[in-house]
């Protein structure tokens, strides 16, 4: 029985928070303590920051804000970082509150925008705030779901803009993944929004068990999760597997050949998960091609995870989701293979798929009809797709620049989807073991909770024009200094200043230790450093000269020249058989054949010193590098040559003494401290003093750079805008007001092109093609020269010229340069806007790998968004052509997926 004191406390809480009592009664489960605390804060009139693991139920707090707004007769905006999440939340809220009370604004969709509750992307709310939209009237609550997105390099500034600009009366409900600096973020929220309650929970509603799969067996990672000690059975299994791999490795010349460890077969993994009762599962593969290959391997391997009844239900749901897809586009979309995989209970989920395919997979997975989803890490970004288990094939992923180990934050984000609340007793995270995977590393990832939130805020051209036009430059500077970015910079300055103070104290001690009774030892130390620096500079110059001479000697070689390769594994006599083409580092890289018939391409490592031809050997016209017979015959001719003996190495010639070094050494010998008996002891302290002083100067520069850093950047942005006529004193000019309505990473390039009339002579398809260069960014690794339609070449050249002038202006002012236009999507956009078929548009990119349908749809939507803005701000012919282009691009598979 419940104790009287507990019943009394519960009754008091219900009386103090009637809205929460009413709200909680609508759920079929009791709210968790963190949910109750956060909801009470909202009902008490406070802002709230909720940090909780994935799947913990933090969105309940956002839904309470919606409930409270409707109860009080006020508005609530529910913002999300991505359109797919907005669509998902819109459907959830309609189910709870009815279609009349809920609207949706995502750029693609505008449904019931005057409703008391509107779900929108954060960018839509930012635009409303700058435009002073009447939709803000009566706004009482804003929910910012996934607020940790403010760390996003490209879009994070939008979250800070909204938080700073929201009217003071609006209560902010911020929902975040678990971050390690929640208190710091909350402290900033207090400074800009007033009192904010911080509610943090590390507790998962469904416990998560960690495993490694070694071969076809699964082992617990921890012997005892409380002590985080790695399970000895796991370590023994890994040792056994390593011995087996060593024994099975092919042997070369008596030694084991290098192993090529592979993860367990993908079919075996799924069968093991099924055997252990761990389906449905999300298997993260950090490659689109890898996800597609895994699905194909599953079908080829005979995986069938569904019953006949489930397959029939899957077909019906697929038909419902894809009814709007044009039938002629189905083959190029790979529709039939995709549907067949779904009927087997298997799906891929990545950005290369069109939204309808991804949404279908999500729907079927939530319903328990699809049992395995192979996904890239993009699935972890907000989509509500919990599973019983999550599998990581690797602990390394490509981050856009290089292959890097997963961070603890990324590991937590990915594995956090394991364990479905109300369905599973526990969730399971599984890492596939391959040689090189250290269980201790996995244990560190699984037990570390370091996921700091770092601001990516910086003032853009659009932001600067809007702020100056609305509140003036001085107030705008003050507002920017209230950003989380400046807040973090200022806090860092405090720590840096303390370090500088400690360094200065140490420097005083070093100066005392190097004090010499004979003279100024600091001056003597500077002379010693000057000698050392000059010697190093001469050594570098000599090495560079030798490398240059060696490179020039390679460039002079011709086919048939016989040379002596001076160094490396290829040292010895060889004949040049091909001049080849090298890299930027080795522009001349001839291919040679050695006496033992081996063929090599020479590099700077092989030729550190110049080479000269020793003889000339005629290369037969019939010589073919790939022919073993050709190589054998030519090597035989090479061995039969009568070559001069290797010249004896001359002793190193004495190098003429450098005049500067001679003068410095003379000064050194004349200095009084040169005769000190403790000279070397003093010199050690002097070197420490020098190094610490260098470090301290760097710290001082960092302090100077961080103090008022955003305001200084803002001043540079405003100065550029003023010089180009977009700002007129404290107001925006007519061109500036047009810029204020362009929301794009290339906003100023668009404004410059509109002002210069660059696009006046383009038709709708041509305008779509040129504007696509301002939104498109190629994926890493896409190669090939993009094709450019002849009809747009002149306009594109002029667009690039305007960009280059802007980029030069930015560089001169020490600003980040606007991204260069990229024509990689111009042909697909042009052909699609002309009304050609999807297959023709996808085949027009000019890169080696055909553009995926998902990428095509995504870039088309971004293109539509910018064209729509241009149609709204540009008058005359360009505005009309932009609106025509929007209609021309929004068709077929693009129009069929406007909810994606």
């Amino acid at each position: 029985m419940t104790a009287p004191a507990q019943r009394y406390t519960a009754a008091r809480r219900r009386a103090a928070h009637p809205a929460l009592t009413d709200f909680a009664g609508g759920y079929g489960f009791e709210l968790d303590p963190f949910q109750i605390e956060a909801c009470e804060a909202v009902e008490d009139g406070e802002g709230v920051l909720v940090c909780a693991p994935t799947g913990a139920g933090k969105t309940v707090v956002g839904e309470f804000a919606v409930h409270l707004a409707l109860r009080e007769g006020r508005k609530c905006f529910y913002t999300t970082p991505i359109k797919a999440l907005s669509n998902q939340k819109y459907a959830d809220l309609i189910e709870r509150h009815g279609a009349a009370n809920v609207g949706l604004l995502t750029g693609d969709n505008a449904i019931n925008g005057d409703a008391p509750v509107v779900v929108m992307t954060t960018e839509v709310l930012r635009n409303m705030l700058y435009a002073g939209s009447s939709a803000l009237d009566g706004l009482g609550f804003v929910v910012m779901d996934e607020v940790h997105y403010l760390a996003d390099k490209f879009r994070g500034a939008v979250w800070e803009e909204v938080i700073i600009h929201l009217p003071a009366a609006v209560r902010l409900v911020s929902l975040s993944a678990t971050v390690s600096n929640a208190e710091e973020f909350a402290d900033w929220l207090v400074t800009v929004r007033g009192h904010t309650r911080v509610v943090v929970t590390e507790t998962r509603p469904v416990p998560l068990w960690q495993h490694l799969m070694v071969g076809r067996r699964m082992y617990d990672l921890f012997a005892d999760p409380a002590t985080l000690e790695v399970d000895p059975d796991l370590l023994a299994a890994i040792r056994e597997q390593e011995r087996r791999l060593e024994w099975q490795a092919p042997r070369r010349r008596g030694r084991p050949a290098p192993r090529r460890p592979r993860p367990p077969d993908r079919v075996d993994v799924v069968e093991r998960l099924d055997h252990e009762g761990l389906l449905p599962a999300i298997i993260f593969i950090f490659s689109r091609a890898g996800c597609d290959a895994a699905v194909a391997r599953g079908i080829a391997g005979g995986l069938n995870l569904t019953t006949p009844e489930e397959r029939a239900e899957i077909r019906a749901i697929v038909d419902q989701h894809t009814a709007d897809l044009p039938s002629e586009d189905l083959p190029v979309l790979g529709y039939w293979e995709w549907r067949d995989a779904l009927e087997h209970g298997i799906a891929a989920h990545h950005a290369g798929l069109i939204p309808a395919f991804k949404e279908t997979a999500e729907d079927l997975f939530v319903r328990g009809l699809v049992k395995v989803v192979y996904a890239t890490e993009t699935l972890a970004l907000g989509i509500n797709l919990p599973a019983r288990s999550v599998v990581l094939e690797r602990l390394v992923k490509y981050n856009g620049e290089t292959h890097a180990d997963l961070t603890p934050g990324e590991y937590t984000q990915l594995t956090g989807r394991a364990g479905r609340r109300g369905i599973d007793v526990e969730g399971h995270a599984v890492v596939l073991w391959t040689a090189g995977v250290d269980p201790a590393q996995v244990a560190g990832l699984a037990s570390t909770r370091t996921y700091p939130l770092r601001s990516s805020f910086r003032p853009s051209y659009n932001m600067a024009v809007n702020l100056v036009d609305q509140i003036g430059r001085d107030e705008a500077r003050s507002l920017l200094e209230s950003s989380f970015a400046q807040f973090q910079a200022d806090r860092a300055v405090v720590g840096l200043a303390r370090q500088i103070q400690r360094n200065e104290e140490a420097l005083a001690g070093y100066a005392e230790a190097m004090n010499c009774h004979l003279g100024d030892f600091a001056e003597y130390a500077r002379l010693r450093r000057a000698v050392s620096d000059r010697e190093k500079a001469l050594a570098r110059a000599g090495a560079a000269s030798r490398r240059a001479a060696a490179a020039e000697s390679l460039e002079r070689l011709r086919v048939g020249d016989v040379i002596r390769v001076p160094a490396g594994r290829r040292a010895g006599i060889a004949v040049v058989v091909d001049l080849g083409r090298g890299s930027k580092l080795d522009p001349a890289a001839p291919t040679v054949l050695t006496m033992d018939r081996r063929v090599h391409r020479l590099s700077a490592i092989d030729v550190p010193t110049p080479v000269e031809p020793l003889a000339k050997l005629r290369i037969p016209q019939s010589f073919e590098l790939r022919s073993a017979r050709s190589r054998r015959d030519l090597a035989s001719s090479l061995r039969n040559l009568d070559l001069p003996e290797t010249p004896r190495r001359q002793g190193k010639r004495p190098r003429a003494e450098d005049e500067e070094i001679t003068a410095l050494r003379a000064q050194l010998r004349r200095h009084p401290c040169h005769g000190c008996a403790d000279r070397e002891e003093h010199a050690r302290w002097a070197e420490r003093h020098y190094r610490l002083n260098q470090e301290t100067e760097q710290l001082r520069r960092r302090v100077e750079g961080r103090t008022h850093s955003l305001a200084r950047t803002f001043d540079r942005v405003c100065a550029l805008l003023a010089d180009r006529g977009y700002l007129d004193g404290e107001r925006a000019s007519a061109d500036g007001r047009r810029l204020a309505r362009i929301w794009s990473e290339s906003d100023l390039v668009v404004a410059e092109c509109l002002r210069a009339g660059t696009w006046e002579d383009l038709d709708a398809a041509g305008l779509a093609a040129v504007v696509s260069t301002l939104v498109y960014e190629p994926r890493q690794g896409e190669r090939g020269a993009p094709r450019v339609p002849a009809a747009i070449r002149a306009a594109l050249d002029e667009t690039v010229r305007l960009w280059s002038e802007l980029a030069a202006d930015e560089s001169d002012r020490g600003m980040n340069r606007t991204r260069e236009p990229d024509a990689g999507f111009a042909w697909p956009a042009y052909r699609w806007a002309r009304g050609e078929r999807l297959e023709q548009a996808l085949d027009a990119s000019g890169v080696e790998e055909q553009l995926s349908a998902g990428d095509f749809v995504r870039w088309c939507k971004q293109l539509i968004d910018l064209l729509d803005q241009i149609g709204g701000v540009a008058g005359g012919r360009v505005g009309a052509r932009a609106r025509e282009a929007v209609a021309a691009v929004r068709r077929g598979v693009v129009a069929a997926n406007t909810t994606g």
Side-chain angles (χ1 to χ4, degrees):
M1 291 180 61
T2 307
Q6 291 176 310
R7 292 199 298 272
Y8 174 72
T9 301
R12 287 195 61 181
R13 295 184 75 166
R14 288 194 297 271
H17 299 96
L20 177 56
T21 302
D22 180 37
F23 171 76
Y27 284 91
F29 56 85
E30 287 191 15
L31 299 187
D32 290 337
F34 87 91
Q35 294 169 327
I36 293 172
E37 181 185 356
C39 290
E40 287 180 349
V42 176
E43 190 168 357
D44 290 341
E46 301 177 45
V48 66
L49 169 64
V50 182
C51 297
T54 300
K58 54 184 173 287
T59 56
V60 166
V61 184
E63 290 169 2
F64 174 67
V66 171
H67 172 86
L68 196 56
L70 291 172
R71 181 185 175 101
E72 295 178 357
R74 305 172 76 186
K75 290 183 180 179
C76 178
F77 290 168
Y78 197 112
T79 73
T80 71
I82 52 178
K83 294 172 184 176
L85 195 55
S86 292
N87 296 325
Q88 192 175 74
K89 182 52 62 177
Y90 171 66
D92 292 345
L93 292 176
I94 278 184
E95 186 175 347
R96 189 170 181 88
H97 301 289
N101 286 321
V102 185
L104 176 68
L105 296 173
T106 63
D108 284 340
N109 275 330
I111 303 171
N112 199 17
D114 294 327
V117 177
V118 183
V119 183
M120 60 184 69
T121 52
T122 316
E123 280 86 351
V124 171
L125 178 53
R126 186 270 312 271
N127 298 354
M128 282 184 180
L129 289 165
Y130 279 146
S133 172
S134 60
L136 298 168
D137 296 343
L139 181 63
F141 303 87
V142 166
V143 179
M144 302 197 82
D145 204 351
E146 311 286 347
V147 74
H148 53 271
Y149 259 74
L150 68 78
D152 184 80
K153 179 179 177 182
F154 301 106
R155 299 173 55 217
V158 176
W159 275 257
E160 290 189 49
E161 289 178 77
V162 168
I163 292 170
I164 292 169
H165 290 325
L166 276 175
V170 175
R171 273 174 270 178
L172 187 65
V173 176
S174 303
L175 310 178
S176 172
T178 305
V179 294
S180 52
N181 60 335
E183 288 75 15
E184 179 188 41
F185 183 52
D187 288 346
W188 172 68
L189 286 174
V190 169
T191 66
V192 293
R193 303 295 317 162
H195 190 65
T196 301
R197 182 94 58 94
V198 186
V199 180
V200 178
T201 180
E202 294 276 353
T203 304
R204 286 176 48 91
V206 180
L208 181 63
W209 290 87
Q210 306 281 345
H211 310 276
L212 256 70
M213 184 179 287
V214 183
R216 298 192 63 177
R217 290 194 59 187
M218 195 176 302
Y219 296 85
D220 290 340
L221 174 60
F222 298 117
D224 180 358
T227 63
L228 302 181
E229 179 186 349
V230 175
D231 194 319
D233 291 342
L234 168 61
L235 296 175
I238 289 175
R239 285 194 296 270
E240 175 61 29
Q241 192 74 4
E242 287 175 333
R243 281 195 295 269
R244 192 175 304 163
L245 283 171
E246 189 73 31
W247 177 257
Q248 293 173 349
R251 305 182 75 82
R252 296 176 185 169
R253 298 181 182 178
R255 291 180 303 173
R259 296 194 306 273
R260 294 183 178 177
R262 296 179 179 177
D265 183 86
R266 286 164 172 163
V267 172
D268 290 346
V269 171
V270 174
E271 289 178 344
R272 171 54 57 180
L273 293 172
D274 194 16
H275 177 75
E276 300 280 352
L278 298 184
L279 298 182
I282 300 170
I283 302 178
F284 282 107
I285 302 174
F286 303 123
S287 155
R288 298 181 184 184
C291 291
D292 293 337
V295 172
R297 172 73 186 104
I299 299 302
L303 283 180
N304 191 356
L305 307 174
T306 56
T307 65
E309 294 76 19
E310 287 175 327
R311 286 195 288 276
E313 190 176 352
I314 288 169
R315 280 193 292 273
I317 294 170
V318 168
D319 291 343
Q320 177 185 343
H321 277 281
T322 59
D324 293 336
L325 292 179
S327 58
E328 66 271 17
D329 290 341
L330 297 183
V332 71
L333 293 173
Y335 171 84
W336 304 108
E337 297 85 353
W338 168 75
R339 192 178 81 165
D340 181 54
L342 294 180
E343 291 181 20
H344 283 76
I346 310 169
H349 193 291
H350 56 72
L353 298 169
I354 63 172
F357 283 13
K358 289 188 287 185
E359 291 168 7
T360 306
E362 292 163 13
D363 189 5
L364 293 172
F365 192 80
V366 168
R367 293 170 185 254
L369 297 170
V370 160
K371 310 300 196 304
V372 174
V373 169
Y374 294 100
T376 57
E377 70 272 22
T378 54
L379 181 65
L381 302 178
I383 302 299
N384 181 25
L385 207 64
R388 179 165 293 163
S389 64
V390 164
V391 180
L392 301 183
E393 273 205 354
R394 302 179 66 199
L395 296 177
V396 175
K397 75 179 184 73
Y398 194 73
N399 63 12
E401 296 176 356
T402 184
H403 286 87
D405 292 339
L406 285 181
T407 66
E410 290 168 332
Y411 183 89
T412 301
Q413 184 87 353
L414 294 168
T415 58
R417 299 198 165 277
R420 296 166 296 174
R421 186 169 189 169
I423 301 175
D424 298 321
V425 176
E426 56 196 26
H428 299 266
V430 182
V431 174
L432 304 188
W433 180 85
T434 60
V437 171
D438 183 357
Q441 177 195 6
V442 184
L445 290 172
S447 58
T448 304
R449 294 292 179 266
T450 53
Y451 185 49
L453 199 56
R454 295 282 175 256
S455 173
S456 60
F457 184 82
R458 63 182 178 87
S460 66
Y461 296 118
N462 172 282
M463 183 196 304
V465 167
N466 273 296
L467 287 176
V468 172
D469 200 44
Q470 290 181 18
I471 60 177
R473 192 174 300 192
D474 288 343
E475 193 173 338
R477 288 177 95 256
S478 299
L479 187 144
L480 288 172
E481 293 210 312
S482 68
S483 67
F484 187 45
Q486 192 62 58
F487 184 84
Q488 288 190 309
D490 291 343
R491 283 201 163 188
V493 163
V494 173
L496 291 174
R498 288 176 183 156
Q499 184 61 49
I500 289 171
Q501 184 179 2
R502 286 194 293 268
N503 286 4
E504 287 173 340
E505 292 170 359
L507 284 169
Y510 293 170
E512 179 66 27
M514 73 179 187
N515 184 48
C516 180
H517 68 287
L518 295 178
D520 185 351
F521 201 89
E523 182 182 64
Y524 181 75
R526 282 194 293 272
L527 284 172
R528 284 176 62 129
R529 260 193 317 276
V531 170
S532 175
D533 290 346
R534 182 62 182 168
E535 287 174 340
K536 290 175 183 175
L538 289 173
R540 285 195 299 269
S545 176
R546 288 191 296 275
R547 285 196 300 270
E552 287 176 12
S553 72
L554 288 178
E555 290 177 0
R556 289 194 297 270
L557 293 178
R558 295 294 177 264
V559 172
D561 283 347
V562 178
I563 62 172
R564 189 181 305 277
V565 180
R569 291 182 293 121
R570 299 155 187 151
I573 301 298
V575 59
V576 177
V577 293
D578 185 73
L579 297 181
R581 289 188 307 165
S583 65
K584 290 180 180 179
L585 294 177
D586 294 306
T591 299
V592 298
L593 176 76
T594 62
M595 286 184 171
D596 61 357
R597 294 181 286 180
R598 294 180 181 273
V599 175
H600 301 293
R601 173 172 283 177
L602 297 180
S603 70
I605 296 173
D606 307 308
V607 189
T609 56
V611 294
E612 297 294 336
L614 304 173
K616 191 79 173 181
L617 188 63
R618 192 181 70 81
I619 309 296
Q621 288 187 346
S622 60
F623 178 76
E624 172 56 53
L625 266 178
R626 298 187 180 185
S627 166
R629 181 174 181 177
S630 288
R631 295 196 303 272
R632 182 194 64 199
D633 292 346
L634 187 59
S636 177
S637 300
L638 183 62
R639 287 193 295 272
N640 291 331
L641 284 177
D642 185 16
L643 298 174
E645 292 185 8
T646 305
R648 292 182 180 179
R649 291 192 173 183
Q650 300 289 334
K652 288 187 177 180
R653 293 182 179 180
R655 189 174 61 190
E657 187 69 42
D658 179 71
E659 291 183 3
E660 186 178 336
I661 282 188
T662 301
L664 286 169
R665 285 177 175 159
Q667 290 182 56
L668 202 62
R669 286 191 294 270
R670 289 196 301 268
H671 197 281
C673 293
H674 191 66
C676 179
D678 297 324
R679 183 182 67 195
E680 294 309 312
E681 177 69 16
H682 293 332
R684 282 192 288 274
W685 285 109
E687 180 62 21
R688 293 178 189 176
H689 186 282
Y690 172 74
R691 293 183 184 280
L692 186 59
N693 191 58
Q694 291 288 96
E695 177 189 318
T696 306
E697 286 303 313
Q698 289 180 352
L699 291 174
R700 289 194 180 99
R701 286 193 291 273
R702 287 172 64 188
V703 167
E704 184 180 347
R706 292 186 180 203
T707 306
H708 306 297
S709 54
L710 283 176
R712 288 199 302 273
T713 301
F714 177 70
D715 288 342
R716 287 194 288 268
V717 169
C718 288
L720 184 148
L721 291 173
D723 287 350
R724 289 175 172 262
Y726 290 93
L727 288 179
D728 183 8
E730 291 294 299
R731 303 293 297 176
S733 65
D735 289 329
R737 285 191 289 276
R738 179 160 60 189
L739 172 61
R741 295 164 60 195
I742 300 170
W743 316 95
S744 164
E745 191 181 346
S746 300
D747 49 10
L748 192 51
V749 179
V750 174
E752 291 282 280
C753 289
L754 292 177
R755 182 166 65 178
T758 304
W759 302 333
E760 287 287 343
D761 297 329
L762 295 170
D763 61 10
L767 183 61
V770 174
V771 172
S772 77
T773 68
L774 302 179
V775 298
Y776 176 72
E777 293 183 63
R779 291 182 65 216
Q780 196 74 25
E782 285 183 350
R783 299 185 302 277
R787 299 171 59 195
V788 176
I792 73 160
R793 191 172 297 279
L796 180 56
D797 288 346
E798 180 63 12
T799 301
V800 173
R801 186 188 68 79
L802 291 172
W803 165 81
S804 64
E805 289 180 355
L806 171 61
D809 198 356
E810 291 169 328
S811 288
D812 291 344
R813 298 169 189 268
M815 298 165 56
N816 292 327
R817 297 201 324 170
T818 299
R819 185 174 57 81
E820 183 177 0
D822 191 297
F825 193 60
W827 251 113
Y830 185 71
R831 298 187 73 168
W832 183 251
R834 284 198 311 189
E836 297 187 36
R837 297 195 320 272
L838 177 64
E839 183 176 10
Q840 294 169 308
L842 293 180
D843 201 33
S845 61
V847 297
E848 291 183 12
E849 185 179 344
Q850 188 185 59
L851 188 69
S852 74
D855 286 331
F856 176 79
V857 171
R858 187 171 75 257
W859 292 122
C860 278
K861 290 186 175 187
Q862 294 200 26
L863 174 58
I864 287 169
D865 186 43
L866 185 50
L867 285 169
D868 205 28
Q869 294 176 43
I870 293 169
V873 301
R877 179 182 173 86
V878 174
R881 293 294 174 267
R883 291 187 287 274
E884 288 177 29
V886 168
V889 176
R890 188 182 279 141
R891 66 178 179 87
V893 69
V894 178
N897 292 285
T898 53
T899 61

